[in-house]
Amino acid sequence: MEDTLTIVYIGNSAETIAAIEANDQISLRHFRNSLTAENSLKTETKPDAILCEMSLSGGNGFTMHEWIRQRPELNPVCFILIAFEFREDIYKEALTKHVDDYFVLPLDPAQIVGRVKYLKEYRKMLIPLEAVSAQNTDEPEPVQEAPFKMPLSKRIFDVVLATGALIGLSPVLLIVIIAIRLESKGKVYYISKRVGAGGKRFNFYKLRSMRAGSDADLAKLAKDKNQYASAATQTVIDFEKPCPRCKELPEGMRCSPMIVEDNHSICEYYYKEQKAEIDKSKSAFIKIVNDPRITKVGKFIRNTSIDELPQLINVIKGDMSIVGNRPLPDYEANQLTKGDMAYRFDAPAGITGLWQVELRGKGGDMSEEERKRLDVSYSEHFTGDNYSFWYDFGLILRTFKALFQKDTV
């Protein structure tokens, strides 16, 4: 029969197997365990669908699903997980692992026929999209380390200036360290991983200007108070929005498997579409306006840039330079790995630089695009034959002019 579906059933439910075999629209191939099923799927004609019980001898339905999805030739085959009873944890894991569907025994063979026919068409649409996505992904890639060479004159200047400044300012550092410790509990210094020249990651040193444990509040503050974020940007999945694909289907039908979160449901296709838009509109940089996590001493040392003094140690170690592009946390650096912005990592990480001078000169009022442009601009001055000691020296002089400021930027 032309409309007959070839279905592989992996498991031992005799009642289910008998019911499926009795349906004249299904040609059934039955295997009691995953090993015999795998041997058959490697050599025989590919089925339209695989129905696999969750509990199997020597494994489970998820391991079978993973084995199938690792083989491109089996991509068109839809996979339905079968359970003897409904378990919410199994259901959620099936959604997370992108299992095509999840059924609880007993099965209605007619319902299986309808669902398999739909899933076959769904996977035909899905496979080309997956192939295109693999080649043209917009997801940020982690910054990879690349060879980087510092000009000798710049390195000598950095070491001499950083060492002299650290020795000369040691009394100021001692007083500030005592003040930080008296105002709030916790370490007086702050260490975080940053990405600098050539994508190199290093330990970045600062004096602590925030209350201890304030990193945990960053996600909420970035959503509500990030200067670089757009107020009109969608930040969460809207479960009430109707999917445009589902609206074109008959009532009760969905264009893709459903995702359930906190008693709300949405089809997988539209969930991914909204998430892609949210990820696309996320700001690469985070700067909190009037950050409430900053202590009184912290506000003073930020306004005077005293909190930056431990970075002189980074300069002596060779992680940073006196002048360069600001080293970024991973979550910011990973947003800037494609296009022209990747060039910002061709210049060294710096305590001060073109972006910092311009930002402070404008009182902290700067768009994300302008900051990106200034980073790339400094890299252009640094690379090749464009490097100039006097250009760096000019930025240092401008830094002193903008050192004292009203805003904690």
Side-chain angles (χ1 to χ4, degrees), residues 100 118-126 255-257 268:
D100 292 313
Y118 166 75
L119 289 173
K120 279 180 63 179
E121 297 304 313
Y122 168 67
R123 291 209 66 82
K124 284 180 183 177
M125 295 186 295
L126 184 65
C255 71
S256 56
E268 184 179 29

Side-chain angles (χ1 to χ4, degrees), residues 304-373:
T304 56
S305 297
I306 292 174
D307 64 322
E308 310 280 356
L309 291 180
Q311 289 158 46
L312 294 168
I313 298 171
N314 285 121
V315 174
I316 294 170
K317 289 174 61 181
D319 299 326
M320 296 174 61
S321 174
I322 297 295
V323 180
N325 285 330
R326 197 68 179 149
L328 301 178
D330 276 342
Y331 59 80
E332 290 185 1
N334 291 347
Q335 299 286 331
L336 304 175
T337 58
K338 295 191 175 187
D340 292 342
M341 274 312 300
Y343 293 130
R344 79 175 306 281
F345 299 106
D346 289 344
I351 294 179
T352 188
L354 184 59
W355 163 71
Q356 293 94 322
V357 168
E358 294 288 342
L359 175 70
R360 293 180 175 186
K362 296 177 66 175
D365 183 17
M366 180 177 289
S367 70
E368 180 178 5
E369 289 305 314
E370 189 174 3
R371 175 177 170 178
K372 288 179 179 180
R373 179 179 57 78

Side-chain angles (χ1 to χ4, degrees), residues 209-211 290-300 302 408:
S209 59
M210 300 183 183
R211 63 179 185 272
N290 297 321
D291 197 327
R293 300 172 298 168
I294 299 174
T295 62
K296 292 179 180 178
V297 173
K299 185 174 182 179
F300 170 76
R302 279 196 170 201
T408 52

Side-chain angles (χ1 to χ4, degrees), residues 62-113:
F62 289 136
T63 55
M64 188 67 205
H65 176 258
E66 183 179 359
W67 182 88
I68 288 165
R69 291 296 170 241
Q70 287 174 348
R71 286 155 176 78
E73 69 274 12
L74 294 175
N75 267 340
V77 180
C78 54
F79 186 95
I80 298 175
L81 190 66
I82 306 297
F84 284 87
E85 62 179 0
F86 179 80
R87 282 180 50 185
E88 186 175 0
D89 58 330
I90 299 296
Y91 175 65
K92 288 184 176 179
E93 188 172 356
L95 291 174
T96 302
K97 294 180 181 295
H98 304 291
V99 173
D100 292 313
D101 216 332
Y102 175 82
F103 278 80
V104 178
L105 297 180
L107 296 181
D108 178 356
Q111 186 181 13
I112 291 294
V113 169

Side-chain angles (χ1 to χ4, degrees), residues 27 40 45 121 127 183 193 259 274:
S27 172
S40 171
T45 304
E121 297 304 313
I127 293 161
E183 183 182 22
K193 287 291 183 183
I259 290 177
Q274 291 193 50

Side-chain angles (χ1 to χ4, degrees), residues 180-338:
I180 292 171
R181 192 66 187 88
L182 289 174
E183 183 182 22
S184 61
K185 295 181 179 180
K187 296 178 179 179
V188 297
Y189 59 89
Y190 176 79
I191 299 177
S192 64
K193 287 291 183 183
R194 296 293 173 97
V195 180
K200 178 186 176 183
R201 288 166 174 79
F202 62 92
N203 288 327
F204 175 82
Y205 308 125
K206 290 186 74 171
L207 291 176
R208 180 170 60 83
S209 59
M210 300 183 183
R211 63 179 185 272
S214 58
D215 282 353
D217 301 329
L218 180 61
K220 185 177 187 305
L221 289 169
K223 176 182 175 182
D224 298 335
K225 292 194 171 187
N226 184 14
Q227 174 181 301
Y228 295 116
S230 168
T233 297
Q234 180 181 347
T235 58
V236 295
I237 300 296
D238 187 345
F239 287 88
E240 301 301 321
K241 277 187 179 180
C243 168
R245 284 189 178 182
C246 292
K247 286 173 66 176
E248 296 177 359
L249 297 174
E251 187 176 353
M253 293 290 287
R254 295 290 182 267
C255 71
S256 56
M258 299 300 289
I259 290 177
V260 179
E261 285 187 7
D262 299 328
N263 298 321
H264 298 287
S265 62
I266 189 173
C267 72
E268 184 179 29
Y269 161 77
Y270 204 43
Y271 180 93
K272 289 181 177 179
E273 285 289 301
Q274 291 193 50
K275 189 174 186 303
E277 285 300 314
I278 293 170
D279 292 342
K280 184 178 178 181
S281 61
K282 279 181 180 176
S283 172
F285 301 122
I286 295 177
K287 185 173 82 69
I288 309 303
V289 181
N290 297 321
D291 197 327
R293 300 172 298 168
I294 299 174
T295 62
K296 292 179 180 178
V297 173
K299 185 174 182 179
F300 170 76
I301 63 176
R302 279 196 170 201
N303 285 346
T304 56
S305 297
I306 292 174
D307 64 322
E308 310 280 356
L309 291 180
Q311 289 158 46
L312 294 168
I313 298 171
N314 285 121
V315 174
I316 294 170
K317 289 174 61 181
D319 299 326
M320 296 174 61
S321 174
I322 297 295
V323 180
N325 285 330
R326 197 68 179 149
L328 301 178
D330 276 342
Y331 59 80
E332 290 185 1
N334 291 347
Q335 299 286 331
L336 304 175
T337 58
K338 295 191 175 187

